[in-house]
Amino acid sequence: MKGKPLLQKIMAWVERFNDYPGCDRKELTVKVQMWVGTAYALLHVLILTPTFLIFAPEALKVLIGYGYFLAIVLITSLFVTPWIKRQIKLTYFIQMIILLMGTLITILHLGGIATSGGLIVVCLALMLCTVPLQDSRISLASFLLFTFIVIISGLFSSFFSAPASLTPKINSILFMINTLSMSGLALFLILSFIAQQRKLEQLEANKLKELNEAKNKLFTNITHEFRTPLTIIQGMTNLIKTNPEEWMEKGTVKIENQTRNLLALVNQMLDLSRLEAGAMPLHSFQSDIISYLKYLSGSFISLAQKKDIQLNFLPENRHFMMDFDQEKIMYIVSNLLSNALKYTPCNGTVELYAGQMKEQNEFVIKVSDNGPGIPPEQLPFIFDRFFRVEEDQVTQEGGTGLGLALVKELVKLLGGSVRVISSVESGTTFIVLLPVTNNAPEKEIIPNEAVPPADLVSVSNQEDVQQSYTGSVIFTGDLPILLVVEDSTDLKLYLKALLEKQYRLEFANNGKTGLQKAFDHIPDIIVSDIMMPVLDGISMLDILKHDIRTSHIPVIMLTAKADMDSRLTGLDKGADDYLAKPFNEEELIIRLRKLIELRHILHDRYAAGEQVLTDNLPENLEDSFIQKIRLVMEENLGDDNFDVHQLSRTLGMSRSQLYRKFKSLTNKSVIDYFWTLRLYKAQNLLQTTVMNVSEVAWAVGFKNLSHFSRAFKDQFGVNPSAIGK
Ligand code: ATP
Ligand code: MG
């Protein structure tokens, strides 16, 4: 009973001795097993060598020398290996080679396998000692070494003679001792290996259990998050039904809020899974991140003022150029700032610090507050989905516990890291580190481009926590891009609320910025006012419709000028539709949808290969654009080095402009289109000329005939040789 705690104590000491900061469990187990094996071997040597020294010093000289050699190697190993942090397996393997070689020399000195007191069993045990290393290459190498020793000591034993003093009797006693002792070592190794396997199985089972629990927790959380708003909606509908006079207005507002909450929740969850699946693309530009952060913190000032919180922006540098994705940075910083402002009580302080880490290629963004802090036992979980600190202060505030999970994933996507320092006395600091690169194209910051959503910069309503959704920001993903050119902030806000779920919105305040945005983003559709400062809507429309980069984009003119004249001018300049203010929401939504659908009809027209080859298309800019592309492509059909770079240079457009315009006209990529064009041209040549298949393949840029035949068959279902002349 007493022995077990002592053994445990010893093992705990061995573990501590071999451990070092950062050593993982598996590595430590290997180190401990090898260390105990070495200690066991040393004990064996320490008992045998003095015994020989006392009872037969002269007769067993060779074995005493061997004992000294083993003792030196084993003691060195016991003291040195615990300090080694890398290449631990290799270290043990080298030790093994030294011991095996020393043993081989001793065996030869003692006259061979049969007369060396069972030293070959020692070699066998040394070979077995490599099992805990769990490295098949090392075990194989040790086995080969062992085989080498057996062969050498067997073949060369006739060149050596056994010392006369090593009588058969002593030899068999030694043989017995060595065999028994080494079997003990093998037994230890086998038992500890089994124990280790059991532990691993247990760990695996625990992991599965944890995973299951996490899944259950997630489901419980999700149902809870859905249930609360649904209950409110249900309650409100009942109230409206029974007492419409009193509840019609109040109730519908609450229902609207709750449906928005639900939608935001679903979007957040989708964003998170898209992030985790790696399906969230990065759109980085090189720009001044300090100005952008200043602008972001500015959007939170009114929220801070309402709570009497002092919000300070503390930049380390005046300007700092680096690559960053505006939208992602906006989500990260806005979520951190909204948390800080949400959880810090009135009269507190919130600081946003930004600057480059000295001598390191990293940019740091810190958001700190002197709020209630996060209890240390809760800190490890705050980046988990749906996790919320269960304190009175916190539960009074609305939220889903997804904000920080999103922050963590986004920072990961940007290649950075995020950590938190928090204490109940001094508040909370979130530190985001981002790698600094300067490879992306330059772009000026355009405020309003990535605006923190209104619900994030609004104050939570303490009386009705459920009603105020102070949750985190949502992404709009790969929806069609809608550019709104409008100078009224209110109308922009209204359009944003109306359309943000169906479109990725871009805003511009006047015709000039509208044009710039249209060229930068090549939106799928534009909604524009007519009367605006700097450049009016009609002039902007005129330029847009005459520029090859933007002529295909449908434009809806939205204006207070309902008179026939301006309507006709707008239509004359190429407006695709016209809506008078005040407009009907449904009507706007339907017209936008219809125009986008019309694009799809155009896709079919341009995307089909045969039509591409007919020349009788009606004359307009779209067609001339496609025709121009076709012309350039046809000129380069035979050039297999021709690529999108060259094409965009020839057309005087940027690659992304070309890509977006081409895609929105044909729903195909330029590369796919070029490929189809080459194959149709080949079909045409085969049908109308006397060229043979390989000549045609060369003419349309295929240097490999079997490639050509396969591609041709994929496209038309027949081999090129089957096309009749
Ligand atoms: P959401 O942001 O999804 O609306 P949330 O704010 O509750 O909800 P997170 O942003 O993920 O969720 O934050 C998780 C939890 O971490 C919060 O519920 C809060 O308990 C704690 N927390 C986050 N930031 C702070 C802070 N600055 N001070 C104190 N506690 C904080
Ligand atoms: Mg939050």
Side-chain angles (χ1 to χ4, degrees), residues 292-293 295-296 300 324-336 410 449-453 456 473-474:
Y292 186 57
L293 291 173
Y295 154 70
L296 276 184
F300 283 85
F324 65 97
D325 181 325
Q326 272 191 29
E327 198 188 33
K328 312 285 184 303
I329 292 287
M330 188 270 286
Y331 289 122
I332 293 168
V333 174
S334 303
N335 271 315
L336 294 180
L410 282 169
E449 199 165 64
V451 204
L456 210 98
V473 209
I474 47 172

Side-chain angles (χ1 to χ4, degrees), residues 442-466:
E442 283 192 23
K443 187 184 175 194
E444 242 185 85
I445 303 246
I446 304 158
N448 291 342
E449 199 165 64
V451 204
D455 52 0
L456 210 98
V457 288
S458 65
V459 195
S460 83
N461 180 350
Q462 292 292 331
E463 286 154 27
D464 187 353
V465 172
Q466 285 306 330

